[in-house]
Amino acid sequence: MHTQNGQLKIQTFCWTDDTRSKNFSVSHLFKICYVKSGSLLWEIGDTVYKAHAGDIAVLNNNEHRRFKKIYGGEPFSLMIIEFEPRFLFTSVFLPLFLNRPSSFKHIISAGGIVEIEALLREMGEENSARKPYFEEVIAAKLMNLVALIARITKLPVKNGCRMSEQMYDVLDYIGAHYTEDITLSQLAEIAHMSQGGFSKAFLRSNGIGVM
């Protein structure tokens, strides 16, 4: 599906240890993955995690990962929510996916958290029913889900500031060209600012550095 903030997709997959891919993969999209059933050794970057039913994985668009081993005798079922980074460009939640501290844990135990389980269920139902405006409903619920995950992970609260029209132009440009090589000088020119001034303004507006 496509929203005003780009591609957003919900899918459910099921694997056994025989059918899992043994290769590393990476995606240009952010992902929130909900473990519906089964147990897995999940290698993400340099860390191997144990993931079980009720866990959530938060993955950005440059971390290599692979399923190292599916165990326990039960197929591993995963609900995957994929969305473009620009979905979060005007929110305070980009640091949940980018510029994380070394102590960041990709796997979060969310089993039994009623609000999260309800949101995931409702998003799945909206995606299946596809009633009018289902894309907008799912996008709104996704932002709520990201906020709850940010709360669980204790993402530092940073008070946002009103962005200038030039900064919105920059974010639109990034969203349209994020698969290409983008330079600091290009973005500073769009914002009609010096490179140093633009870097500070971008950090203040978005909570992460521009490069």
Side-chain angles (χ1 to χ4, degrees):
M1 75 190 76
H2 284 269
T3 70
Q4 63 179 356
N5 289 313
Q7 184 179 1
L8 195 169
K9 184 165 53 176
I10 299 176
Q11 300 179 91
T12 298
F13 296 98
C14 189
W15 298 270
T16 65
D17 200 52
D18 293 330
T19 61
R20 69 179 172 87
S21 172
K22 298 173 177 61
N23 299 321
F24 282 98
S25 65
V26 70
S27 170
H28 69 283
L29 302 173
F30 288 170
K31 294 189 179 187
I32 295 176
C33 304
Y34 175 66
V35 182
K36 300 181 72 174
S37 65
S39 298
L40 169 75
L41 291 179
W42 202 339
E43 189 170 356
I44 305 172
D46 297 327
T47 306
V48 177
Y49 297 91
K50 289 183 178 180
H52 307 282
D55 288 348
I56 286 177
V58 180
L59 306 172
N60 68 23
N61 56 348
N62 57 32
E63 292 163 332
H64 289 77
R65 56 265 191 178
R66 66 171 175 169
F67 295 163
K68 194 166 186 178
K69 182 176 178 57
I70 296 172
Y71 63 96
E74 183 180 10
F76 186 77
S77 179
L78 202 62
M79 176 183 180
I80 302 174
I81 304 168
E82 299 179 295
F83 52 98
E84 292 184 24
R86 62 177 166 159
F87 185 85
L88 299 178
F89 277 173
T90 57
S91 77
V92 296
F93 301 120
L94 266 178
L96 186 63
F97 292 85
L98 302 174
N99 291 357
R100 298 154 162 169
S102 58
S103 59
F104 181 82
K105 305 297 184 185
H106 295 85
I107 304 294
I108 302 159
S109 180
I113 300 178
V114 175
E115 297 91 341
I116 287 182
E117 292 179 342
L119 277 171
L120 290 165
R121 182 177 64 253
E122 291 164 5
M123 291 173 72
E125 291 171 350
E126 285 286 344
N127 189 55
S128 297
R130 301 197 165 229
K131 297 178 181 178
Y133 303 109
F134 77 97
E135 298 100 332
E136 288 74 16
V137 172
I138 290 176
K141 291 181 183 298
L142 174 57
M143 190 61 76
N144 196 351
L145 176 64
V146 171
L148 290 175
I149 293 173
R151 180 181 293 172
I152 292 171
T153 58
K154 296 181 171 58
L155 182 73
V157 177
K158 295 183 179 180
N159 294 325
C161 63
R162 183 178 176 81
M163 288 194 295
S164 66
E165 291 301 320
Q166 292 94 335
M167 192 62 73
Y168 278 112
D169 290 341
V170 167
L171 296 177
D172 286 341
Y173 182 85
I174 294 173
H177 300 274
Y178 68 89
T179 60
E180 305 170 12
D181 290 332
I182 302 174
T183 66
L184 177 60
S185 62
Q186 285 176 306
L187 300 182
E189 183 178 350
I190 292 170
H192 305 290
M193 301 172 71
S194 69
Q195 293 186 32
F198 171 73
S199 294
K200 293 177 182 177
F202 190 94
L203 177 62
R204 186 169 60 250
S205 296
N206 299 284
I208 62 168
V210 66
M211 294 292 181

